[in-house]
Amino acid sequence: MTTREVPVDTATERSARPGSAADAEVPSRLQARGLRLGYGENLVVDGLDLDVLSGAVTAVIGPNGCGKSTLLRALGRLLSPRSGHVLLDGKRIDRMSTREVARVLGVLPQTPQAPEGLTVADLVARGRHPHQRWYRQWSSDDEAAVAEALRMTGMLEFAERTLDELSGGQRQRAWISMALAQGTDLLLLDEPTTYLDLAHQVDVLDLVHQLNSEAGRTVVMVLHDLNLAARYADHLVAMRAGRIVAQGTPESVLTEELLREVFDLEARVLTDPVSGTPLVVPVGSRHRAQAPASASDR
Protein backbone atom coordinates (compact mmCIF):
# COMPACT_ATOMS: atom_id res chain seq x y z
CA MET A 1 0.00 0.00 0.00
CA THR A 2 1.33 3.42 -0.94
CA THR A 3 1.05 5.97 1.81
CA ARG A 4 -0.21 9.39 0.90
CA GLU A 5 -1.64 12.49 2.47
CA VAL A 6 -4.60 14.53 1.36
CA PRO A 7 -3.25 18.04 0.73
CA VAL A 8 -4.41 20.26 3.57
CA ASP A 9 -5.09 23.96 3.24
CA THR A 10 -5.04 24.67 6.96
CA ALA A 11 -6.78 28.02 6.84
CA THR A 12 -9.52 26.67 4.57
CA GLU A 13 -10.00 23.59 6.71
CA ARG A 14 -10.41 25.46 9.96
CA SER A 15 -12.79 28.06 8.61
CA ALA A 16 -14.88 25.48 6.77
CA ARG A 17 -16.18 23.74 9.90
CA PRO A 18 -18.55 25.99 11.89
CA GLY A 19 -18.20 25.96 15.66
CA SER A 20 -14.45 25.28 15.71
CA ALA A 21 -12.30 27.50 17.86
CA ALA A 22 -9.29 26.82 15.65
CA ASP A 23 -7.21 29.78 14.58
CA ALA A 24 -5.26 29.47 11.34
CA GLU A 25 -2.44 31.59 12.76
CA VAL A 26 -1.79 29.44 15.84
CA PRO A 27 1.15 27.02 15.43
CA SER A 28 0.87 23.40 16.51
CA ARG A 29 1.56 22.95 20.23
CA LEU A 30 1.79 19.15 20.05
CA GLN A 31 3.95 17.48 17.42
CA ALA A 32 5.36 14.03 16.65
CA ARG A 33 8.63 13.66 14.79
CA GLY A 34 9.86 10.33 13.41
CA LEU A 35 8.03 8.24 16.03
CA ARG A 36 8.76 4.51 16.20
CA LEU A 37 6.59 2.85 18.82
CA GLY A 38 6.04 -0.70 19.92
CA TYR A 39 5.64 -3.29 22.66
CA GLY A 40 8.34 -5.91 23.16
CA GLU A 41 9.38 -7.25 19.77
CA ASN A 42 6.27 -5.83 18.07
CA LEU A 43 6.74 -2.57 16.14
CA VAL A 44 3.37 -0.79 15.93
CA VAL A 45 4.15 2.71 14.62
CA ASP A 46 7.04 3.34 12.26
CA GLY A 47 8.48 6.77 11.42
CA LEU A 48 5.36 8.84 12.05
CA ASP A 49 5.17 12.65 11.84
CA LEU A 50 2.15 14.63 13.02
CA ASP A 51 1.26 18.25 13.79
CA VAL A 52 -1.86 18.50 15.94
CA LEU A 53 -4.03 21.43 14.86
CA SER A 54 -4.27 23.92 17.71
CA GLY A 55 -7.78 24.92 18.72
CA ALA A 56 -9.37 22.11 16.72
CA VAL A 57 -10.91 18.69 17.34
CA THR A 58 -8.84 15.97 15.67
CA ALA A 59 -10.08 12.39 15.38
CA VAL A 60 -7.66 9.54 14.70
CA ILE A 61 -9.34 6.74 12.75
CA GLY A 62 -8.24 3.41 11.35
CA PRO A 63 -8.75 -0.36 11.65
CA ASN A 64 -8.04 -2.29 14.83
CA GLY A 65 -4.33 -2.70 15.52
CA CYS A 66 -3.20 0.14 13.25
CA GLY A 67 -1.56 2.10 16.09
CA LYS A 68 -4.19 4.73 16.96
CA SER A 69 -4.15 4.25 20.73
CA THR A 70 -0.40 3.62 20.70
CA LEU A 71 0.12 7.00 19.02
CA LEU A 72 -2.15 8.71 21.56
CA ARG A 73 -0.24 7.12 24.45
CA ALA A 74 3.03 8.45 23.04
CA LEU A 75 1.57 11.94 22.57
CA GLY A 76 0.51 11.86 26.23
CA ARG A 77 3.92 10.60 27.44
CA LEU A 78 2.42 7.31 28.58
CA LEU A 79 4.65 5.37 26.17
CA SER A 80 8.31 6.08 25.43
CA PRO A 81 9.26 6.02 21.72
CA ARG A 82 11.93 3.64 20.48
CA SER A 83 13.12 6.56 18.40
CA GLY A 84 11.85 9.98 17.44
CA HIS A 85 10.23 12.36 19.90
CA VAL A 86 7.11 14.31 20.85
CA LEU A 87 7.25 18.09 21.16
CA LEU A 88 4.96 19.96 23.55
CA ASP A 89 5.10 23.74 23.12
CA GLY A 90 8.40 23.27 21.31
CA LYS A 91 10.03 21.20 24.09
CA ARG A 92 10.72 17.48 24.04
CA ILE A 93 8.04 15.97 26.23
CA ASP A 94 10.39 13.28 27.58
CA ARG A 95 12.63 16.02 29.03
CA MET A 96 9.77 17.75 30.87
CA SER A 97 8.71 16.90 34.41
CA THR A 98 5.48 14.99 34.96
CA ARG A 99 3.99 17.97 36.79
CA GLU A 100 4.95 20.36 33.98
CA VAL A 101 3.30 18.13 31.36
CA ALA A 102 0.17 17.61 33.48
CA ARG A 103 -0.40 21.36 33.73
CA VAL A 104 -0.68 21.61 29.95
CA LEU A 105 -1.86 18.20 28.73
CA GLY A 106 -4.77 16.11 30.00
CA VAL A 107 -5.03 12.43 29.05
CA LEU A 108 -8.05 10.16 29.41
CA PRO A 109 -7.09 6.53 28.67
CA GLN A 110 -9.44 3.93 27.23
CA THR A 111 -10.47 2.23 30.48
CA PRO A 112 -9.55 4.47 33.43
CA GLN A 113 -9.67 2.85 36.88
CA ALA A 114 -10.64 4.38 40.22
CA PRO A 115 -10.77 3.00 43.78
CA GLU A 116 -14.09 1.53 44.84
CA GLY A 117 -16.37 3.99 46.61
CA LEU A 118 -14.70 7.11 45.20
CA THR A 119 -17.12 10.00 44.77
CA VAL A 120 -17.30 12.16 41.66
CA ALA A 121 -16.08 15.20 43.61
CA ASP A 122 -13.08 13.28 44.96
CA LEU A 123 -12.21 12.00 41.48
CA VAL A 124 -12.37 15.45 39.94
CA ALA A 125 -10.30 16.89 42.80
CA ARG A 126 -7.46 14.56 41.78
CA GLY A 127 -7.15 16.66 38.64
CA ARG A 128 -5.74 19.44 40.80
CA HIS A 129 -2.76 17.37 41.91
CA PRO A 130 -0.31 18.99 39.41
CA HIS A 131 -1.06 22.36 41.01
CA GLN A 132 -0.30 21.22 44.59
CA ARG A 133 2.95 21.95 46.42
CA TRP A 134 4.15 21.11 49.92
CA TYR A 135 3.75 24.80 50.72
CA ARG A 136 0.46 25.18 48.81
CA GLN A 137 -2.21 22.66 49.62
CA TRP A 138 -5.93 22.75 48.73
CA SER A 139 -7.10 26.30 48.11
CA SER A 140 -10.16 28.26 47.04
CA ASP A 141 -8.74 28.28 43.50
CA ASP A 142 -8.76 24.48 43.50
CA GLU A 143 -12.30 24.43 44.83
CA ALA A 144 -13.40 26.81 42.08
CA ALA A 145 -11.65 24.77 39.37
CA VAL A 146 -13.40 21.57 40.49
CA ALA A 147 -16.80 23.30 40.62
CA GLU A 148 -16.29 24.78 37.16
CA ALA A 149 -15.27 21.42 35.70
CA LEU A 150 -18.37 19.79 37.17
CA ARG A 151 -20.55 22.62 35.88
CA MET A 152 -19.15 22.40 32.34
CA THR A 153 -19.82 18.67 32.17
CA GLY A 154 -23.26 18.87 33.80
CA MET A 155 -22.09 16.78 36.76
CA LEU A 156 -22.60 19.18 39.70
CA GLU A 157 -25.70 17.34 40.91
CA PHE A 158 -23.77 14.06 40.94
CA ALA A 159 -20.76 15.39 42.88
CA GLU A 160 -21.44 13.34 46.04
CA ARG A 161 -22.37 10.13 44.25
CA THR A 162 -19.87 7.31 43.90
CA LEU A 163 -18.70 6.33 40.44
CA ASP A 164 -20.31 2.92 40.93
CA GLU A 165 -23.74 4.56 41.06
CA LEU A 166 -23.38 6.30 37.68
CA SER A 167 -24.35 5.23 34.19
CA GLY A 168 -21.61 4.67 31.62
CA GLY A 169 -22.13 8.11 30.09
CA GLN A 170 -22.11 9.81 33.49
CA ARG A 171 -18.89 8.03 34.45
CA GLN A 172 -17.24 9.22 31.26
CA ARG A 173 -18.35 12.77 32.01
CA ALA A 174 -16.87 12.44 35.50
CA TRP A 175 -13.50 11.39 34.08
CA ILE A 176 -13.58 14.24 31.57
CA SER A 177 -14.35 16.56 34.50
CA MET A 178 -11.16 15.40 36.18
CA ALA A 179 -9.16 16.18 33.04
CA LEU A 180 -10.79 19.63 32.87
CA ALA A 181 -9.98 20.32 36.52
CA GLN A 182 -6.30 20.05 35.58
CA GLY A 183 -6.82 23.32 33.75
CA THR A 184 -5.15 22.05 30.58
CA ASP A 185 -5.67 23.46 27.08
CA LEU A 186 -4.89 20.13 25.38
CA LEU A 187 -7.00 17.00 25.87
CA LEU A 188 -6.20 13.50 24.58
CA LEU A 189 -9.17 11.11 24.70
CA ASP A 190 -8.64 7.45 23.85
CA GLU A 191 -11.95 6.06 22.57
CA PRO A 192 -14.12 8.21 24.87
CA THR A 193 -17.30 6.52 23.58
CA THR A 194 -16.21 2.90 24.18
CA TYR A 195 -18.88 0.70 25.81
CA LEU A 196 -21.48 3.48 25.61
CA ASP A 197 -24.84 3.16 23.87
CA LEU A 198 -25.50 5.51 20.97
CA ALA A 199 -27.37 8.13 23.00
CA HIS A 200 -24.48 8.39 25.49
CA GLN A 201 -21.91 8.44 22.67
CA VAL A 202 -23.62 11.49 21.19
CA ASP A 203 -23.87 13.05 24.67
CA VAL A 204 -20.13 12.70 25.29
CA LEU A 205 -19.20 14.00 21.84
CA ASP A 206 -21.54 16.98 22.26
CA LEU A 207 -19.55 17.73 25.40
CA VAL A 208 -16.26 17.46 23.45
CA HIS A 209 -17.64 19.92 20.89
CA GLN A 210 -18.66 22.29 23.69
CA LEU A 211 -15.22 22.14 25.29
CA ASN A 212 -13.67 23.06 21.94
CA SER A 213 -16.11 25.69 20.71
CA GLU A 214 -16.85 27.42 24.03
CA ALA A 215 -13.72 26.79 26.10
CA GLY A 216 -11.15 26.71 23.28
CA ARG A 217 -9.69 23.30 24.15
CA THR A 218 -7.60 21.47 21.57
CA VAL A 219 -8.83 17.87 21.51
CA VAL A 220 -7.31 14.74 19.98
CA MET A 221 -9.48 11.63 20.24
CA VAL A 222 -9.42 8.09 18.91
CA LEU A 223 -12.78 7.06 17.46
CA HIS A 224 -14.04 3.91 15.75
CA ASP A 225 -17.36 5.27 14.49
CA LEU A 226 -16.54 7.01 11.21
CA ASN A 227 -19.82 8.88 10.98
CA LEU A 228 -19.47 10.34 14.47
CA ALA A 229 -15.86 11.24 13.68
CA ALA A 230 -17.05 13.08 10.57
CA ARG A 231 -19.72 14.94 12.55
CA TYR A 232 -17.61 16.03 15.49
CA ALA A 233 -14.02 16.44 14.23
CA ASP A 234 -12.54 19.34 12.30
CA HIS A 235 -9.60 17.21 11.20
CA LEU A 236 -9.27 13.48 10.57
CA VAL A 237 -6.06 11.44 10.68
CA ALA A 238 -6.46 8.05 8.97
CA MET A 239 -3.96 5.35 9.94
CA ARG A 240 -3.13 1.89 8.68
CA ALA A 241 -0.30 -0.42 9.73
CA GLY A 242 1.38 2.20 11.92
CA ARG A 243 1.45 4.97 9.32
CA ILE A 244 -0.67 7.99 8.48
CA VAL A 245 -2.32 7.33 5.13
CA ALA A 246 -4.31 10.56 4.86
CA GLN A 247 -5.29 13.58 6.88
CA GLY A 248 -7.50 16.58 6.34
CA THR A 249 -11.15 17.57 6.63
CA PRO A 250 -13.71 14.76 6.90
CA GLU A 251 -14.87 15.65 3.40
CA SER A 252 -11.40 15.18 1.95
CA VAL A 253 -10.49 12.05 3.91
CA LEU A 254 -13.67 9.95 3.97
CA THR A 255 -13.81 8.91 0.33
CA GLU A 256 -14.85 5.54 -1.07
CA GLU A 257 -11.31 5.00 -2.33
CA LEU A 258 -9.75 5.65 1.07
CA LEU A 259 -12.24 3.38 2.83
CA ARG A 260 -11.11 0.54 0.56
CA GLU A 261 -7.44 1.39 1.08
CA VAL A 262 -7.49 1.85 4.85
CA PHE A 263 -10.37 -0.34 6.06
CA ASP A 264 -10.71 -2.88 3.21
CA LEU A 265 -14.31 -1.71 3.21
CA GLU A 266 -16.67 -1.38 0.28
CA ALA A 267 -18.94 1.55 1.07
CA ARG A 268 -20.86 4.44 -0.38
CA VAL A 269 -20.23 7.94 0.97
CA LEU A 270 -23.35 10.11 1.07
CA THR A 271 -24.13 13.44 2.70
CA ASP A 272 -25.44 13.30 6.27
CA PRO A 273 -28.90 14.92 6.11
CA VAL A 274 -28.48 16.37 9.63
CA SER A 275 -24.88 17.64 9.74
CA GLY A 276 -23.97 17.88 6.04
CA THR A 277 -20.82 15.86 6.75
CA PRO A 278 -19.85 12.59 5.01
CA LEU A 279 -22.05 9.61 5.84
CA VAL A 280 -20.40 6.21 5.35
CA VAL A 281 -22.80 3.44 4.32
CA PRO A 282 -21.06 0.03 4.33
CA VAL A 283 -21.89 -2.38 1.51
CA GLY A 284 -21.59 -6.03 2.53
CA SER A 285 -21.92 -9.04 0.27
CA ARG A 286 -25.62 -9.32 1.09
CA HIS A 287 -26.42 -5.94 -0.49
CA ARG A 288 -23.65 -5.57 -3.06
CA ALA A 289 -25.91 -6.39 -6.01
CA GLN A 290 -28.48 -3.76 -4.98
CA ALA A 291 -25.99 -1.01 -4.09
CA PRO A 292 -25.71 1.98 -6.42
CA ALA A 293 -22.49 2.31 -8.37
CA SER A 294 -19.54 3.80 -6.52
CA ALA A 295 -18.20 7.21 -7.48
CA SER A 296 -15.19 5.59 -9.18
CA ASP A 297 -17.45 3.42 -11.36
CA ARG A 298 -19.66 6.25 -12.57
Side-chain angles (χ1 to χ4, degrees), residues 20 38 53 73 76 80 92 112 124 132 151 164 168 175 216 219 234 257 259 271 287:
S20 169
L53 292 183
R73 293 189 69 208
S80 298
R92 283 183 51 165
V124 178
Q132 304 300 307
R151 184 198 65 78
D164 303 330
W175 284 103
V219 181
D234 304 296
E257 177 188 3
L259 292 168
T271 300
H287 300 103

Side-chain angles (χ1 to χ4, degrees), residues 25 39 50 95 112 136 139 152 170 201 263 273 280 288:
E25 302 302 318
Y39 307 94
L50 177 66
R95 296 178 178 173
R136 180 194 177 280
S139 69
M152 289 186 68
Q170 291 167 343
Q201 290 179 44
F263 294 93
V280 176
R288 196 154 292 165

